Amino acid sequence: MASVHSRAARAAGATLVAVASSSPERSRAAAEQLGFASAASSVEELVAHPDVDVVHVCTPNALHAAQAEAVLAAGKHVVCEKPLATSVTDAERLVELAEQAGVVATVPFVYRFYPLVREARARFAAGEMGRITTVLGSYLQDWLLTADDDNWRVDVTDGGRSRAFGDIGSHLVDLLEFITADRVVALAASKSTVFGTRGDRPVSTEDAVALTCQTEGGAIGSLLVSQVAPGRKNRLHLEIAGAEQTLGLDTEQPETIWLGRRAGSQLLPRDADQLAPDAARLCRVPAGHPMGYQDAFDAFAADTYAATRGEEPEGLPRFADGLRAGRITQAVLDSCEQGTWVRL
Amino acid sequence: MASVHSRAARAAGATLVAVASSSPERSRAAAEQLGFASAASSVEELVAHPDVDVVHVCTPNALHAAQAEAVLAAGKHVVCEKPLATSVTDAERLVELAEQAGVVATVPFVYRFYPLVREARARFAAGEMGRITTVLGSYLQDWLLTADDDNWRVDVTDGGRSRAFGDIGSHLVDLLEFITADRVVALAASKSTVFGTRGDRPVSTEDAVALTCQTEGGAIGSLLVSQVAPGRKNRLHLEIAGAEQTLGLDTEQPETIWLGRRAGSQLLPRDADQLAPDAARLCRVPAGHPMGYQDAFDAFAADTYAATRGEEPEGLPRFADGLRAGRITQAVLDSCEQGTWVRL
Amino acid sequence: MASVHSRAARAAGATLVAVASSSPERSRAAAEQLGFASAASSVEELVAHPDVDVVHVCTPNALHAAQAEAVLAAGKHVVCEKPLATSVTDAERLVELAEQAGVVATVPFVYRFYPLVREARARFAAGEMGRITTVLGSYLQDWLLTADDDNWRVDVTDGGRSRAFGDIGSHLVDLLEFITADRVVALAASKSTVFGTRGDRPVSTEDAVALTCQTEGGAIGSLLVSQVAPGRKNRLHLEIAGAEQTLGLDTEQPETIWLGRRAGSQLLPRDADQLAPDAARLCRVPAGHPMGYQDAFDAFAADTYAATRGEEPEGLPRFADGLRAGRITQAVLDSCEQGTWVRL
Amino acid sequence: MASVHSRAARAAGATLVAVASSSPERSRAAAEQLGFASAASSVEELVAHPDVDVVHVCTPNALHAAQAEAVLAAGKHVVCEKPLATSVTDAERLVELAEQAGVVATVPFVYRFYPLVREARARFAAGEMGRITTVLGSYLQDWLLTADDDNWRVDVTDGGRSRAFGDIGSHLVDLLEFITADRVVALAASKSTVFGTRGDRPVSTEDAVALTCQTEGGAIGSLLVSQVAPGRKNRLHLEIAGAEQTLGLDTEQPETIWLGRRAGSQLLPRDADQLAPDAARLCRVPAGHPMGYQDAFDAFAADTYAATRGEEPEGLPRFADGLRAGRITQAVLDSCEQGTWVRL
């Protein structure tokens, strides 16, 4: 993710002052590879660097809380990868510290930055979709399909207690709540760990989660998250039925949304001429020239930096959103372990 | 549905001897419209007709049990629309009576008769898909979208206590279990009734059900059923992930299945040359000339009639399958009402 | 094709009186297999049979003209597979004879019987699509992909001088002209024969034709026809751009049409409630339960038989349409051989 | 396009030294908006700037030749938007001048930089697709759909004699030839100008071109190009049938290619792990996180700059490719005007 972050920072006009990795050698290698002006020998040094205004934390999950806290302690702006922390308590503390510091503290829920996600949100807000009745959602990947697929994320120590849900389920629920302004209030979940070991590691984190949920607005939903789904790479799919129209959205094809209607459904392209202002502002190439993930990440970084200059960009995902994701992840784990519905 | 049944019977070479509807006048009208040789003045008369070998029961749900019982009592073969009965007890009795009568007693779970459904089933049976890890399934319609949409099915007296699940959710689970030979063993469900009245009727039956489930084989799943989903007509969609491949299937487009694979997914057409025997036998026009719902129904009727002649066609949905659907429907209602997981 | 014809006749309520094949033995086998009451020992006998009112000619192309002529000479109604004849002269004579006989004489351009084809036609007729500017069309198959794939159609003696265009290109142009009521008036074509021999036969008929055309209404178009296109089975695709909307249509997925619009395109389902009368009348199962090729063929047969009873069903493809296809096929051959544009 | 060029330059690590527009005021505005360090008062001043190593020419078509020539005369590298020139003679001269200058001179045929375009090319080169038999191609837009849509490109003086073909048809043929290494050798074309005036301008340039073509390798093809196709934004679609497999490619969805096969077609995702080296090197985010147009443009710029440093990146579109496009455009105009096939 460091290359995506650094490209986005550069595209937003930032100067890449310094980078720190897990050792001085790796820091120097990262600086060279990513085009940073210098390598910091430690997080402390990086945070203290006088030319550094914003720090991006994109380290293993278990390190996020302490490192983000260090940035905040230095009174600097921080972008922290999700999960914001591996416990709700830590996430709560970070939200509080960020508020006290009075800095910008964001979490890259980048799917919010696809223009058509904003369009969908605008339409729900305007009441065009009608009251929400059902949600069908999934986030499916296959990069951990076999027992040979290994990564620090599978390890509870580095990655935290939840893997599939914490990593990608959090995106799914964030996007659902962001688009609809409705909130999940109860859920019943079941999880699955397909392989007990990967490489040499014992694995206790889940590969997949299935859940049913209820929202504040009275909708019911079925969600599925998996990292062992052959043929899916990063498919976050949402089909949200309102009383008037259904929204169909797929982050693998973010340039079109499907608006299900009884008398002929519509395929809406990402065409700035036709979109709500908050969607149109994120369009940077003409319709039909696809925008992609890096474009979304660039927009997230640009909006974060705009916020550091005192602007108030719409829809910026902040630490409070990271905390919300942490609470939902905890509810999923609780529900799975207790075999009951859990209220949020 | 009577026109679909009668077309299928005719296509299978049957003679349409007699039809009975809710009154002698309506029976005569039906006979004329559907091309039956005569109109029976009652179910009793129909069942007793010496030239009648098979009776198709396609009346409102609440009548199924008594009418199917009358057919069985006459020692004749019976095709009974689902739900087989509106209570598990009734369905159990019908299964027993059918067995005692020694006749063929089937339920039109017609999606089983799409050739590619058979192909999918053959591939799961052969182990090509691998052990199942997750299921994402939905059956979505929009024909009851507004409060003005009315039908006898919404009425608990005619339709039974469950509507959306009993009517279409039953198809979804039947198809899932038919294809995988795995069984749902536990579920947690939530339901929604969007309109308290439709026309003049008070409505207590559900418009939508969301559920999460576990299977005997260890898979977890998320299912959604709705009759108020704008833009969907009869979309039964299944995405079943195995350890090797994912099956993607959509009954609105039954001529292709998606086989999700990590290194390039496959789109398999309904091409007899490439299919398993039980799939190939159901192909009646060349690949690329779409087969549809009536073709599937014709095949269901043909197989039912073949069974009456002593053949044993593969995959024929019998009363036991109708009972299974009734038990799952009951479990869904119980789970919704108790707010707990229910084991099957 | 005989099984498709006989199923359609039965579905239309016809009695299958007699069938004739290339020998008495094969006639008897066909009668048994297809469910005819008797086998005729010759075409002459069949045509003379007192109970036969309509004869379906579905023999190799080179036999069509003489056999159709025999039916007409007997004063009976005739359905003749396309190409109606292997020369324009023969086709012209058949049109004239049919007119003189005063009988119904039809050619199964069955794609006309997909309900959404009628809907598209109604919308062009009503001016909703706007003046046509461009046409992109193709009919692609792969059943003759390799040199080992053989069939009587590849032989110029049995199949006629044009194969790919005569067999499937004729459908493509018929559908284009049927939907738009515009006519191709000039074309420049190029053809390709990939294998000089198939099995033991020398092959001079073409595997593929590419052409550009102009219509009476001022549109320009690009069409491609091939029987050696890997992955395509019977894909007739049309994308017809009008000044207001584009029609996208694919006969492999005939249950939806795409209506391209500048500000959000529409996917229109085959839903009788929303369609023009001539489209709605062809819907026989609810939306979302797919209709297919046999349904279309059944409707073609039903309309042909209705015409024999004096009705005037909309859009019935008659011998004049078969002649039109023959003229276009000849123009394609001429253009290919002369290397010039040919006017029709 | 200036913003796309400048973003790509910045992403490639370039310093944005100076920009020149049509007046000093507009130059200053462009410098500010795009983030250039300074504004040049003229092309001459820009070209002479000592810190400028590479000049991007993205002005109206009629200015390309003279401005590119000025850059070359200064001995500097040049990126020139297509069409390289509005006459074949001018394009030929530029190729010669670039060669004499010994600099890098490229044309942004950016679709070459979608990773799966490289994958397709590698598979054709390796013989996996088989000998090419047919090509179906189109590039469709709707931004000039109505008479009210106006742009300097519609004017023959600014845009050159060909509009739709010169602007987008050139991409289509470049991509076809780039992927297949086959060459169009003959074509018969027809063109259409839908509106005689747009705004106040008389319009002689074409809105659409339909053509059929033959390739050196013996394939035949049908191509369509239009800027008045409702519902299409920038859809360049190619379906290239080989003896073994068909390639299906759509630049509006460049993250998947369809590999048509007789026994089950494949959908290949843009997944670096599975791709040829020249495709994998262009992947910069994981599979399933879509890459888009700006990513492709960034890669084009990065490769151009790599070439200025003496590297020899695969597939870089140079002035010779721009000249090739000019020759094909001229052949299309000749064919349309003469009503004959034209050989290249």
PDB file of all heavy atoms in Angstrom, chain C residues 161-185:
ATOM      1  N   ARG C 161     -24.641 -21.608 -53.158  1.00  0.00           N
ATOM      2  CA  ARG C 161     -23.342 -20.946 -53.311  1.00  0.00           C
ATOM      3  C   ARG C 161     -22.901 -20.188 -52.070  1.00  0.00           C
ATOM      4  O   ARG C 161     -21.713 -20.080 -51.807  1.00  0.00           O
ATOM      5  CB  ARG C 161     -23.359 -20.012 -54.517  1.00  0.00           C
ATOM      6  CG  ARG C 161     -23.266 -20.774 -55.840  1.00  0.00           C
ATOM      7  CD  ARG C 161     -23.204 -19.794 -57.010  1.00  0.00           C
ATOM      8  NE  ARG C 161     -22.063 -18.914 -56.883  1.00  0.00           N
ATOM      9  CZ  ARG C 161     -22.089 -17.591 -57.064  1.00  0.00           C
ATOM     10  NH1 ARG C 161     -23.226 -16.994 -57.377  1.00  0.00           N
ATOM     11  NH2 ARG C 161     -20.997 -16.869 -56.925  1.00  0.00           N
ATOM     12  N   SER C 162     -23.845 -19.646 -51.336  1.00  0.00           N
ATOM     13  CA  SER C 162     -23.472 -18.929 -50.109  1.00  0.00           C
ATOM     14  C   SER C 162     -23.834 -19.783 -48.906  1.00  0.00           C
ATOM     15  O   SER C 162     -24.910 -20.351 -48.832  1.00  0.00           O
ATOM     16  CB  SER C 162     -24.230 -17.601 -50.031  1.00  0.00           C
ATOM     17  OG  SER C 162     -24.012 -16.990 -48.773  1.00  0.00           O
ATOM     18  N   ARG C 163     -22.919 -19.885 -47.970  1.00  0.00           N
ATOM     19  CA  ARG C 163     -23.232 -20.628 -46.748  1.00  0.00           C
ATOM     20  C   ARG C 163     -23.440 -19.714 -45.542  1.00  0.00           C
ATOM     21  O   ARG C 163     -24.562 -19.536 -45.076  1.00  0.00           O
ATOM     22  CB  ARG C 163     -22.161 -21.662 -46.422  1.00  0.00           C
ATOM     23  CG  ARG C 163     -22.533 -22.446 -45.173  1.00  0.00           C
ATOM     24  CD  ARG C 163     -21.447 -23.336 -44.580  1.00  0.00           C
ATOM     25  NE  ARG C 163     -20.223 -23.329 -45.287  1.00  0.00           N
ATOM     26  CZ  ARG C 163     -19.049 -22.983 -44.733  1.00  0.00           C
ATOM     27  NH1 ARG C 163     -18.997 -22.618 -43.448  1.00  0.00           N
ATOM     28  NH2 ARG C 163     -17.939 -23.022 -45.439  1.00  0.00           N
ATOM     29  N   ALA C 164     -22.367 -19.103 -45.069  1.00  0.00           N
ATOM     30  CA  ALA C 164     -22.497 -18.314 -43.839  1.00  0.00           C
ATOM     31  C   ALA C 164     -23.507 -17.190 -44.030  1.00  0.00           C
ATOM     32  O   ALA C 164     -24.376 -16.970 -43.181  1.00  0.00           O
ATOM     33  CB  ALA C 164     -21.138 -17.756 -43.434  1.00  0.00           C
ATOM     34  N   PHE C 165     -23.414 -16.479 -45.148  1.00  0.00           N
ATOM     35  CA  PHE C 165     -24.357 -15.379 -45.312  1.00  0.00           C
ATOM     36  C   PHE C 165     -25.765 -15.898 -45.559  1.00  0.00           C
ATOM     37  O   PHE C 165     -26.732 -15.422 -44.958  1.00  0.00           O
ATOM     38  CB  PHE C 165     -23.934 -14.398 -46.410  1.00  0.00           C
ATOM     39  CG  PHE C 165     -24.694 -13.119 -46.264  1.00  0.00           C
ATOM     40  CD1 PHE C 165     -24.221 -12.122 -45.427  1.00  0.00           C
ATOM     41  CD2 PHE C 165     -25.936 -12.942 -46.866  1.00  0.00           C
ATOM     42  CE1 PHE C 165     -24.956 -10.962 -45.201  1.00  0.00           C
ATOM     43  CE2 PHE C 165     -26.676 -11.795 -46.650  1.00  0.00           C
ATOM     44  CZ  PHE C 165     -26.191 -10.800 -45.816  1.00  0.00           C
ATOM     45  N   GLY C 166     -25.877 -16.887 -46.442  1.00  0.00           N
ATOM     46  CA  GLY C 166     -27.208 -17.411 -46.761  1.00  0.00           C
ATOM     47  C   GLY C 166     -27.900 -17.982 -45.540  1.00  0.00           C
ATOM     48  O   GLY C 166     -29.111 -17.836 -45.355  1.00  0.00           O
ATOM     49  N   ASP C 167     -27.127 -18.611 -44.682  1.00  0.00           N
ATOM     50  CA  ASP C 167     -27.718 -19.294 -43.535  1.00  0.00           C
ATOM     51  C   ASP C 167     -27.993 -18.341 -42.371  1.00  0.00           C
ATOM     52  O   ASP C 167     -29.099 -18.319 -41.828  1.00  0.00           O
ATOM     53  CB  ASP C 167     -26.780 -20.420 -43.086  1.00  0.00           C
ATOM     54  CG  ASP C 167     -27.457 -21.366 -42.098  1.00  0.00           C
ATOM     55  OD1 ASP C 167     -28.688 -21.275 -41.910  1.00  0.00           O
ATOM     56  OD2 ASP C 167     -26.750 -22.202 -41.507  1.00  0.00           O
ATOM     57  N   ILE C 168     -27.005 -17.561 -42.000  1.00  0.00           N
ATOM     58  CA  ILE C 168     -27.197 -16.717 -40.813  1.00  0.00           C
ATOM     59  C   ILE C 168     -27.179 -15.227 -41.134  1.00  0.00           C
ATOM     60  O   ILE C 168     -27.844 -14.439 -40.466  1.00  0.00           O
ATOM     61  CB  ILE C 168     -26.198 -17.085 -39.694  1.00  0.00           C
ATOM     62  CG1 ILE C 168     -24.751 -16.955 -40.154  1.00  0.00           C
ATOM     63  CG2 ILE C 168     -26.476 -18.479 -39.162  1.00  0.00           C
ATOM     64  CD1 ILE C 168     -23.716 -17.203 -39.046  1.00  0.00           C
ATOM     65  N   GLY C 169     -26.418 -14.833 -42.151  1.00  0.00           N
ATOM     66  CA  GLY C 169     -26.440 -13.418 -42.548  1.00  0.00           C
ATOM     67  C   GLY C 169     -27.846 -12.996 -42.948  1.00  0.00           C
ATOM     68  O   GLY C 169     -28.270 -11.856 -42.712  1.00  0.00           O
ATOM     69  N   SER C 170     -28.579 -13.932 -43.547  1.00  0.00           N
ATOM     70  CA  SER C 170     -29.945 -13.618 -43.960  1.00  0.00           C
ATOM     71  C   SER C 170     -30.810 -13.274 -42.750  1.00  0.00           C
ATOM     72  O   SER C 170     -31.638 -12.364 -42.801  1.00  0.00           O
ATOM     73  CB  SER C 170     -30.544 -14.803 -44.718  1.00  0.00           C
ATOM     74  OG  SER C 170     -30.512 -15.973 -43.906  1.00  0.00           O
ATOM     75  N   HIS C 171     -30.618 -13.976 -41.645  1.00  0.00           N
ATOM     76  CA  HIS C 171     -31.333 -13.640 -40.403  1.00  0.00           C
ATOM     77  C   HIS C 171     -30.963 -12.221 -39.940  1.00  0.00           C
ATOM     78  O   HIS C 171     -31.810 -11.456 -39.495  1.00  0.00           O
ATOM     79  CB  HIS C 171     -30.934 -14.604 -39.268  1.00  0.00           C
ATOM     80  CG  HIS C 171     -31.744 -15.865 -39.220  1.00  0.00           C
ATOM     81  ND1 HIS C 171     -33.078 -15.881 -38.969  1.00  0.00           N
ATOM     82  CD2 HIS C 171     -31.370 -17.159 -39.372  1.00  0.00           C
ATOM     83  CE1 HIS C 171     -33.518 -17.136 -38.959  1.00  0.00           C
ATOM     84  NE2 HIS C 171     -32.500 -17.931 -39.204  1.00  0.00           N
ATOM     85  N   LEU C 172     -29.691 -11.926 -40.003  1.00  0.00           N
ATOM     86  CA  LEU C 172     -29.202 -10.640 -39.500  1.00  0.00           C
ATOM     87  C   LEU C 172     -29.850  -9.481 -40.254  1.00  0.00           C
ATOM     88  O   LEU C 172     -30.359  -8.525 -39.657  1.00  0.00           O
ATOM     89  CB  LEU C 172     -27.675 -10.602 -39.630  1.00  0.00           C
ATOM     90  CG  LEU C 172     -26.956  -9.331 -39.193  1.00  0.00           C
ATOM     91  CD1 LEU C 172     -27.169  -9.062 -37.708  1.00  0.00           C
ATOM     92  CD2 LEU C 172     -25.450  -9.454 -39.488  1.00  0.00           C
ATOM     93  N   VAL C 173     -29.837  -9.572 -41.585  1.00  0.00           N
ATOM     94  CA  VAL C 173     -30.398  -8.476 -42.380  1.00  0.00           C
ATOM     95  C   VAL C 173     -31.923  -8.461 -42.262  1.00  0.00           C
ATOM     96  O   VAL C 173     -32.535  -7.399 -42.188  1.00  0.00           O
ATOM     97  CB  VAL C 173     -29.932  -8.558 -43.840  1.00  0.00           C
ATOM     98  CG1 VAL C 173     -30.595  -7.455 -44.668  1.00  0.00           C
ATOM     99  CG2 VAL C 173     -28.418  -8.419 -43.910  1.00  0.00           C
ATOM    100  N   ASP C 174     -32.535  -9.640 -42.223  1.00  0.00           N
ATOM    101  CA  ASP C 174     -33.992  -9.650 -42.049  1.00  0.00           C
ATOM    102  C   ASP C 174     -34.379  -8.942 -40.758  1.00  0.00           C
ATOM    103  O   ASP C 174     -35.305  -8.132 -40.733  1.00  0.00           O
ATOM    104  CB  ASP C 174     -34.531 -11.088 -42.012  1.00  0.00           C
ATOM    105  CG  ASP C 174     -36.052 -11.084 -41.833  1.00  0.00           C
ATOM    106  OD1 ASP C 174     -36.756 -10.756 -42.808  1.00  0.00           O
ATOM    107  OD2 ASP C 174     -36.529 -11.347 -40.714  1.00  0.00           O
ATOM    108  N   LEU C 175     -33.651  -9.246 -39.690  1.00  0.00           N
ATOM    109  CA  LEU C 175     -34.002  -8.648 -38.406  1.00  0.00           C
ATOM    110  C   LEU C 175     -33.774  -7.136 -38.420  1.00  0.00           C
ATOM    111  O   LEU C 175     -34.594  -6.360 -37.914  1.00  0.00           O
ATOM    112  CB  LEU C 175     -33.189  -9.306 -37.288  1.00  0.00           C
ATOM    113  CG  LEU C 175     -33.854  -9.280 -35.914  1.00  0.00           C
ATOM    114  CD1 LEU C 175     -35.185 -10.015 -35.948  1.00  0.00           C
ATOM    115  CD2 LEU C 175     -32.954  -9.920 -34.876  1.00  0.00           C
ATOM    116  N   LEU C 176     -32.670  -6.739 -39.012  1.00  0.00           N
ATOM    117  CA  LEU C 176     -32.374  -5.304 -39.121  1.00  0.00           C
ATOM    118  C   LEU C 176     -33.493  -4.580 -39.862  1.00  0.00           C
ATOM    119  O   LEU C 176     -33.994  -3.543 -39.402  1.00  0.00           O
ATOM    120  CB  LEU C 176     -31.035  -5.130 -39.862  1.00  0.00           C
ATOM    121  CG  LEU C 176     -30.681  -3.720 -40.295  1.00  0.00           C
ATOM    122  CD1 LEU C 176     -30.582  -2.787 -39.095  1.00  0.00           C
ATOM    123  CD2 LEU C 176     -29.360  -3.731 -41.072  1.00  0.00           C
ATOM    124  N   GLU C 177     -33.888  -5.129 -40.987  1.00  0.00           N
ATOM    125  CA  GLU C 177     -34.912  -4.453 -41.788  1.00  0.00           C
ATOM    126  C   GLU C 177     -36.291  -4.549 -41.128  1.00  0.00           C
ATOM    127  O   GLU C 177     -37.102  -3.636 -41.229  1.00  0.00           O
ATOM    128  CB  GLU C 177     -34.938  -5.028 -43.206  1.00  0.00           C
ATOM    129  CG  GLU C 177     -33.635  -4.747 -43.954  1.00  0.00           C
ATOM    130  CD  GLU C 177     -33.674  -5.102 -45.436  1.00  0.00           C
ATOM    131  OE1 GLU C 177     -34.615  -5.831 -45.866  1.00  0.00           O
ATOM    132  OE2 GLU C 177     -32.775  -4.655 -46.179  1.00  0.00           O
ATOM    133  N   PHE C 178     -36.531  -5.668 -40.457  1.00  0.00           N
ATOM    134  CA  PHE C 178     -37.818  -5.845 -39.780  1.00  0.00           C
ATOM    135  C   PHE C 178     -37.977  -4.844 -38.645  1.00  0.00           C
ATOM    136  O   PHE C 178     -39.029  -4.229 -38.474  1.00  0.00           O
ATOM    137  CB  PHE C 178     -37.908  -7.272 -39.234  1.00  0.00           C
ATOM    138  CG  PHE C 178     -39.195  -7.580 -38.516  1.00  0.00           C
ATOM    139  CD1 PHE C 178     -40.399  -7.657 -39.218  1.00  0.00           C
ATOM    140  CD2 PHE C 178     -39.213  -7.803 -37.149  1.00  0.00           C
ATOM    141  CE1 PHE C 178     -41.599  -7.954 -38.551  1.00  0.00           C
ATOM    142  CE2 PHE C 178     -40.394  -8.105 -36.487  1.00  0.00           C
ATOM    143  CZ  PHE C 178     -41.597  -8.173 -37.185  1.00  0.00           C
ATOM    144  N   ILE C 179     -36.925  -4.674 -37.897  1.00  0.00           N
ATOM    145  CA  ILE C 179     -36.992  -3.785 -36.730  1.00  0.00           C
ATOM    146  C   ILE C 179     -37.063  -2.316 -37.143  1.00  0.00           C
ATOM    147  O   ILE C 179     -37.815  -1.538 -36.569  1.00  0.00           O
ATOM    148  CB  ILE C 179     -35.771  -4.029 -35.801  1.00  0.00           C
ATOM    149  CG1 ILE C 179     -35.921  -5.366 -35.093  1.00  0.00           C
ATOM    150  CG2 ILE C 179     -35.610  -2.900 -34.788  1.00  0.00           C
ATOM    151  CD1 ILE C 179     -34.690  -5.799 -34.299  1.00  0.00           C
ATOM    152  N   THR C 180     -36.283  -1.966 -38.145  1.00  0.00           N
ATOM    153  CA  THR C 180     -36.165  -0.537 -38.476  1.00  0.00           C
ATOM    154  C   THR C 180     -37.117  -0.082 -39.567  1.00  0.00           C
ATOM    155  O   THR C 180     -37.340   1.124 -39.715  1.00  0.00           O
ATOM    156  CB  THR C 180     -34.743  -0.221 -38.970  1.00  0.00           C
ATOM    157  OG1 THR C 180     -34.501  -0.978 -40.164  1.00  0.00           O
ATOM    158  CG2 THR C 180     -33.708  -0.561 -37.915  1.00  0.00           C
ATOM    159  N   ALA C 181     -37.635  -1.013 -40.357  1.00  0.00           N
ATOM    160  CA  ALA C 181     -38.395  -0.657 -41.553  1.00  0.00           C
ATOM    161  C   ALA C 181     -37.544   0.159 -42.516  1.00  0.00           C
ATOM    162  O   ALA C 181     -38.060   0.821 -43.414  1.00  0.00           O
ATOM    163  CB  ALA C 181     -39.696   0.070 -41.212  1.00  0.00           C
ATOM    164  N   ASP C 182     -36.252   0.128 -42.326  1.00  0.00           N
ATOM    165  CA  ASP C 182     -35.316   0.733 -43.279  1.00  0.00           C
ATOM    166  C   ASP C 182     -34.781  -0.415 -44.154  1.00  0.00           C
ATOM    167  O   ASP C 182     -34.954  -1.592 -43.808  1.00  0.00           O
ATOM    168  CB  ASP C 182     -34.184   1.416 -42.481  1.00  0.00           C
ATOM    169  CG  ASP C 182     -33.408   2.433 -43.322  1.00  0.00           C
ATOM    170  OD1 ASP C 182     -33.716   2.612 -44.518  1.00  0.00           O
ATOM    171  OD2 ASP C 182     -32.490   3.051 -42.756  1.00  0.00           O
ATOM    172  N   ARG C 183     -34.187  -0.087 -45.286  1.00  0.00           N
ATOM    173  CA  ARG C 183     -33.741  -1.132 -46.198  1.00  0.00           C
ATOM    174  C   ARG C 183     -32.288  -0.903 -46.611  1.00  0.00           C
ATOM    175  O   ARG C 183     -31.878   0.221 -46.897  1.00  0.00           O
ATOM    176  CB  ARG C 183     -34.576  -1.112 -47.494  1.00  0.00           C
ATOM    177  CG  ARG C 183     -36.067  -1.136 -47.284  1.00  0.00           C
ATOM    178  CD  ARG C 183     -36.611  -2.526 -47.256  1.00  0.00           C
ATOM    179  NE  ARG C 183     -36.730  -3.090 -48.598  1.00  0.00           N
ATOM    180  CZ  ARG C 183     -37.316  -4.257 -48.846  1.00  0.00           C
ATOM    181  NH1 ARG C 183     -37.828  -4.976 -47.845  1.00  0.00           N
ATOM    182  NH2 ARG C 183     -37.396  -4.725 -50.070  1.00  0.00           N
ATOM    183  N   VAL C 184     -31.537  -1.980 -46.678  1.00  0.00           N
ATOM    184  CA  VAL C 184     -30.175  -1.898 -47.210  1.00  0.00           C
ATOM    185  C   VAL C 184     -30.272  -1.626 -48.705  1.00  0.00           C
ATOM    186  O   VAL C 184     -30.993  -2.329 -49.421  1.00  0.00           O
ATOM    187  CB  VAL C 184     -29.424  -3.222 -46.944  1.00  0.00           C
ATOM    188  CG1 VAL C 184     -28.084  -3.227 -47.650  1.00  0.00           C
ATOM    189  CG2 VAL C 184     -29.255  -3.431 -45.435  1.00  0.00           C
ATOM    190  N   VAL C 185     -29.574  -0.599 -49.166  1.00  0.00           N
ATOM    191  CA  VAL C 185     -29.638  -0.280 -50.611  1.00  0.00           C
ATOM    192  C   VAL C 185     -28.311  -0.442 -51.322  1.00  0.00           C
ATOM    193  O   VAL C 185     -28.261  -0.438 -52.556  1.00  0.00           O
ATOM    194  CB  VAL C 185     -30.174   1.156 -50.849  1.00  0.00           C
ATOM    195  CG1 VAL C 185     -31.649   1.243 -50.466  1.00  0.00           C
ATOM    196  CG2 VAL C 185     -29.351   2.190 -50.107  1.00  0.00           C
TER     197      VAL C 185
END
